[in-house]
Amino acid sequence: MISNKLPKMFYGGDYNPEQYDHATHLEDLRMFKLAGIDIATINVFSWALNQPNEDTYNFTWLDQLIDSLYESGVYVCLATSTAAHPAWMATKYPDVLRVDTNGQRRKFGGRHNSCPSSPTYLKYSERIAHKLAERYKDHPAILVWHVSNEYGGECYCDNCAAGFRIWLQEKYSTLDNLNKAWNTNFWGHTFYDWEEIVPPTNLSEHWGNNSSTFQGISLDYSRFNSDNILHGYRLEHDAIKAIIPDSIVTTNLMGAYKPLDYFKWAKHMDIVSWDSYPGLDTPVSFTAMAHDLMRGLKDGQPFMLMEQTPSQQNWQAYNSLKRPGVMRLWSYQAVAHGADTIMFFQMRRSAGACEKYHGAVIEHVGHEHTRVFREVAEVGRELQLLGDKTLDAVTESKVGILFDWDNWWAMEKSSGPTVALNYLDQVHKYYAALFRRNISTDIISVDSDLSKYDIVIAPVLYMVKPGLAKKLEDFVQAGGSFLTTFFSGVVNENDLVTLGGYPGELRKMLGIWVEEIDALFPDKRNKIVMKDSLGDLQGDYSCGLLCDLLHSEGADILAEYGEDFYQGMPVLTRNKFGKGEAWYVASDPEDNFIDGLLKSICDAKGITPLLVTPAGVEVSRRSKDGQDFLFVMNHNAEEQAVELGSLQFRDLLTETDLTGTVQIAGRGVQILEVK
Ligand code: GLA
Ligand code: ZN
């Protein structure tokens, strides 16, 4: 449980009353009660209020706000306010301003853009975190500490360049090692002095869109940048912990956010929290995958849904409203995948600036008689009913999907074989096939313990880090089923090709040799022709994007290409290795094929759906103290029939007993406790 003081799912979110007068704040408190709001995230962007100049701090307004919330029964998620530096700081100390990839230094404005290496920023952000911790260490209102806000982006200033060189020296010790790792004899890039190394930008190795002429330096800069921003977070985190050792400290992450290696970040967070902003056209399976990734960051530990919009966003091109019921549905989808809080951005709409048309619990009209407020209050009532029932419940999965930021960076920085390769899409394709069948899946890192899984899937495992091949071999040898796809096993952790034939270190386990890799134009397809039927798979399937031209070195050939000069070469192989099997999918298939393939691999392992449901009805499970909770979520607008079988369930939201065939309303949710 995040806090014994509030033994239920926290319900509330970002609250910025400093944008309004006191009478409005009192109205807010009245309405919070009506909606069952019991937590407010405050002080996210108030650095300028807290520190009006270099020598003055003023927390009186914050004292009053925290007290007034607490007296009204609202707990606090206290931010450190360092997500936007004050104007005076930027004017006096330009080192807080980031430099972009074209070498331009920013002016004051915007947010989330302080240079992570700035001595000024680091000094004052740590200091204010320290002051806040000192001041509020004994305040009973505070449940969680929220450092900064949505860290991200990059900086290429001289301070960052100097930090990068130190980071490189720690990593490589000698320039000789670095020159080898980056293969600098290519294009005469040999470095003879550390000072010669400059960050990869549009002025050096990049040409827009993050394409790089030197993947080694670019990859290391991504790693450095993630570590460097993390360093700033850790200073604030440690400042709070030094004063309140048992505090819960987090920062709000952004799901599958490319610039930061969240597996590394999560090690320094007491609880993962994240902001979920799917578009109305985002596949619900993609949102589910993002939740599972967030749950995977701390090895399955429940997380906080820190932000979502109750109705619409402002920053998309077309900010459609969440249709009636969708906010509730997506809230429970987060819970179904491991969230123990439901929180919003934001409690009341701003009157000015760019977020005035962003959805909020309290609309501009200012009263509670709105659709959005009614829907929020309805969920608030349900959460009181649920109490602590599902808190801390975990997800048990027999299938793990490997996800790796270094692999992501490396493959998408690669010049060739295709610009169309998108790691997230590839991971999502395999995830979605499991999602469609209600098969519980964990997203895992290369450091995860594989022994608890029966199946491990690593879409496009382009980079094989030290020790990983052996770890996967051990997994398969012990009886596991492993599946990877085209363009895998190609490089080591420095993006240097593993010579001697693809898929390099995975070659023995997969029992194949990939001789060439063909990239298809967007309008070109090839065919996967099954040799025999395999479960539901038979006949032809379409494939594209990349086609590996491979030879079996012992693997069974289950399907062959149907077209082009490599017609008849293997496209789906399975190699028996020890007690297990290693599968290779040599191209990018249509969804039907992935559905059938994963079904057959799951069937062989006895992994069955949680429930068999109509399309668009998702089922996810959490378990606690031997008690299972099935979340049944109808993403369709129309009612659907779901077959529960002979088990007896209690729907915790309606407090009714269910069994056999039941109807679930369009966009409806059931939380079923197995009786
Ligand atoms: C992010 C930020 C919030 C707000 C929302 C708007 O999640 O953390 O401050 O800007 O986006 O969607
Ligand atoms: Zn910088």
Side-chain angles (χ1 to χ4, degrees):
M1 204 167 328
I2 307 173
S3 171
N4 294 325
K5 291 190 211 162
L6 189 53
K8 65 176 278 291
M9 272 185 259
F10 301 172
Y11 194 49
D14 277 46
Y15 182 44
N16 304 298
E18 64 277 14
Q19 295 177 18
Y20 282 97
D21 60 15
H22 188 63
T24 310
H25 168 60
L26 295 179
E27 260 299 273
D28 294 339
L29 293 178
R30 181 185 70 79
M31 281 186 269
F32 289 175
K33 277 220 165 64
L34 295 178
I37 299 294
D38 45 36
I39 192 157
T41 305
I42 57 170
N43 198 39
V44 182
F45 295 105
S46 320
W47 199 348
L49 278 187
N50 294 331
Q51 194 183 356
N53 58 56
E54 190 162 9
D55 309 310
T56 316
Y57 287 87
N58 165 27
F59 297 113
T60 322
W61 75 278
L62 197 53
D63 297 346
Q64 285 164 358
L65 175 59
I66 296 173
D67 287 345
S68 123
L69 286 164
Y70 187 60
E71 280 155 22
S72 175
V74 180
Y75 287 93
V76 167
C77 171
L78 186 61
T80 57
S81 77
T82 54
H85 50 239
W88 62 258
M89 195 181 285
T91 309
K92 195 162 175 187
Y93 300 106
D95 65 283
V96 302
L97 298 167
R98 283 188 186 178
V99 171
D100 71 13
T101 184
N102 296 312
Q104 276 193 318
R105 191 177 285 280
R106 291 187 58 93
K107 305 273 188 206
F108 174 72
R111 60 168 184 174
H112 298 166
N113 53 27
S114 310
C115 163
S117 309
S118 154
T120 310
Y121 179 76
L122 295 175
K123 174 169 129 191
Y124 286 114
S125 56
E126 183 182 19
R127 183 173 293 175
I128 200 163
H130 172 89
K131 282 183 183 289
L132 289 164
E134 272 280 301
R135 194 169 186 100
Y136 300 114
K137 61 177 185 291
D138 297 320
H139 204 297
I142 295 160
L143 303 186
V144 176
W145 288 79
H146 176 299
V147 175
S148 192
N149 192 68
E150 292 193 339
Y151 280 102
E154 294 93 19
C155 179
Y156 301 96
C157 74
D158 291 344
N159 283 327
C160 286
F164 182 43
R165 286 181 208 112
I166 293 169
W167 185 94
L168 292 171
Q169 282 168 13
E170 279 166 10
K171 177 167 180 182
Y172 293 107
S173 306
T174 68
L175 273 178
D176 200 33
N177 291 338
L178 176 142
N179 279 318
K180 282 200 189 99
W182 291 356
N183 198 36
T184 54
N185 280 341
F186 179 82
W187 286 3
H189 275 42
T190 313
F191 295 109
Y192 294 98
D193 190 318
W194 293 97
E195 292 303 309
E196 292 163 3
I197 300 170
V198 295
T201 65
N202 285 355
L203 306 176
S204 59
E205 304 290 7
H206 291 177
W207 69 89
N209 211 9
N210 220 16
S211 292
S212 175
T213 44
F214 253 89
Q215 282 81 42
I217 187 171
S218 299
L219 180 60
D220 272 339
Y221 203 76
S222 291
R223 290 168 170 150
F224 159 73
N225 182 63
S226 176
D227 288 357
N228 195 32
I229 299 179
L230 175 59
H231 171 246
Y233 162 80
R234 289 185 63 186
L235 288 179
E236 292 194 44
H237 166 275
D238 293 354
I240 298 165
K241 285 288 197 186
I243 294 165
I244 326 169
D246 60 351
S247 52
I248 308 288
V249 182
T250 188
T251 183
N252 47 342
L253 309 181
M254 293 180 277
Y257 177 68
K258 194 171 171 187
L260 303 181
D261 183 344
Y262 285 155
F263 280 118
K264 278 186 161 181
W265 277 66
K267 294 195 169 74
H268 307 282
M269 299 168 67
D270 295 311
I271 187 167
V272 165
S273 65
W274 88 283
D275 302 344
S276 179
Y277 288 100
L280 287 201
D281 54 354
T282 305
V284 287
S285 52
F286 192 91
T287 312
M289 179 178 84
H291 288 309
D292 286 353
L293 173 62
M294 295 295 97
R295 189 184 72 242
L297 294 181
K298 283 186 91 66
D299 219 10
Q301 185 185 303
F303 57 87
M304 296 176 72
L305 177 63
M306 185 65 90
E307 294 182 24
Q308 62 168 343
T309 178
S311 58
Q312 67 195 146
Q313 289 133 39
N314 66 286
W315 44 265
Q316 301 211 4
Y318 306 98
N319 296 283
S320 301
L321 293 168
K322 284 183 179 169
R323 277 27 211 172
V326 170
M327 180 279 290
R328 175 175 178 269
L329 174 64
W330 290 2
S331 297
Y332 287 119
Q333 188 192 30
V335 176
H337 287 270
D340 271 357
T341 73
I342 296 178
M343 294 163 70
F344 299 105
F345 181 90
Q346 56 184 331
M347 303 316 296
R348 181 184 275 271
R349 284 192 189 224
S350 307
C354 71
E355 287 181 339
K356 58 183 176 300
Y357 303 125
H358 192 287
V361 171
I362 302 171
E363 303 269 21
H364 283 142
V365 70
H367 60 54
E368 65 270 35
H369 308 292
T370 63
R371 174 186 75 91
V372 171
F373 192 90
R374 278 191 296 274
E375 291 194 28
V376 169
E378 175 56 16
V379 173
R381 189 191 62 75
E382 289 176 348
L383 295 186
Q384 274 156 2
L385 190 70
L386 285 172
D388 66 356
K389 275 240 152 171
T390 61
L391 292 187
D392 299 326
V394 296
T395 308
E396 275 150 24
S397 311
K398 286 283 156 204
V399 185
I401 295 187
L402 209 68
F403 190 88
D404 184 48
W405 262 267
D406 288 299
N407 185 44
W408 189 2
W409 293 331
M411 100 177 56
E412 291 185 11
K413 284 178 202 302
S414 174
S415 180
T418 175
V419 295
L421 177 58
N422 179 305
Y423 183 47
L424 278 188
D425 281 356
Q426 292 302 318
V427 175
H428 176 242
K429 280 187 169 211
Y430 285 82
Y431 179 90
L434 297 158
F435 175 91
R436 282 191 281 273
R437 294 191 62 233
N438 301 318
I439 303 247
S440 184
T441 303
D442 287 346
I443 309 280
I444 59 177
S445 81
V446 295
D447 297 324
S448 297
D449 170 16
L450 304 183
S451 65
K452 61 180 173 194
Y453 299 105
D454 290 338
I455 300 173
V456 169
I457 301 172
V460 208
L461 187 58
Y462 168 68
M463 172 183 286
V464 178
K465 291 172 166 176
L468 181 59
K470 168 80 170 64
K471 184 172 173 165
L472 293 170
E473 283 182 2
D474 290 348
F475 167 75
V476 176
Q477 224 137 22
S481 289
F482 172 72
L483 181 147
T484 188
T485 71
F486 59 89
F487 201 37
S488 284
V490 180
V491 299
N492 70 5
E493 80 279 15
N494 295 319
D495 200 52
L496 289 178
V497 170
T498 303
L499 300 177
Y502 320 130
E505 292 187 68
L506 305 177
R507 183 168 167 186
K508 188 172 85 188
M509 175 179 61
L510 290 163
I512 54 166
W513 166 44
V514 173
E515 183 179 347
E516 292 184 272
I517 304 170
D518 191 21
L520 271 53
F521 277 78
D523 58 344
K524 283 280 284 179
R525 305 291 291 171
N526 203 314
K527 268 192 199 143
I528 296 175
V529 183
M530 296 301 299
K531 291 181 70 174
D532 296 304
S533 62
L534 174 75
D536 295 348
L537 288 181
Q538 54 181 335
D540 294 6
Y541 298 87
S542 158
C543 66
L545 186 72
L546 286 176
C547 296
D548 284 352
L549 278 54
L550 67 87
H551 309 273
S552 168
E553 294 180 329
D556 305 328
I557 300 165
L558 305 179
E560 297 169 345
Y561 286 109
E563 282 170 16
D564 220 319
F565 77 93
Y566 41 93
Q567 180 178 8
M569 284 184 97
V571 60
L572 174 68
T573 60
R574 177 189 57 203
N575 194 39
K576 303 215 168 57
F577 190 77
K579 293 191 197 137
E581 297 174 342
W583 294 77
Y584 197 74
V585 184
S587 183
D588 178 36
E590 63 174 285
D591 288 347
N592 270 340
F593 177 84
I594 303 178
D595 285 341
L597 178 60
L598 294 192
K599 177 169 188 304
S600 138
I601 297 174
C602 285
D603 284 352
K605 287 284 178 196
I607 299 171
T608 52
L610 293 166
L611 285 178
V612 177
T613 53
V617 179
E618 175 189 357
V619 182
S620 193
R621 183 181 60 197
R622 290 181 70 176
S623 315
K624 172 178 171 179
D625 305 329
Q627 175 68 58
D628 285 346
F629 300 97
L630 281 186
F631 292 74
V632 184
M633 296 160 281
N634 182 6
H635 294 283
N636 304 292
E638 308 77 32
E639 185 179 81
Q640 300 287 327
V642 174
E643 181 54 61
L644 298 179
S646 56
L647 285 178
Q648 305 283 320
F649 294 97
R650 179 132 188 109
D651 179 2
L652 299 179
L653 295 174
T654 54
E655 299 187 284
T656 53
D657 291 338
L658 299 175
T659 189
T661 308
V662 299
Q663 297 300 123
I664 180 163
R667 294 181 177 130
V669 179
Q670 295 166 344
I671 305 181
L672 304 180
E673 187 178 41
V674 186
K675 288 183 77 178

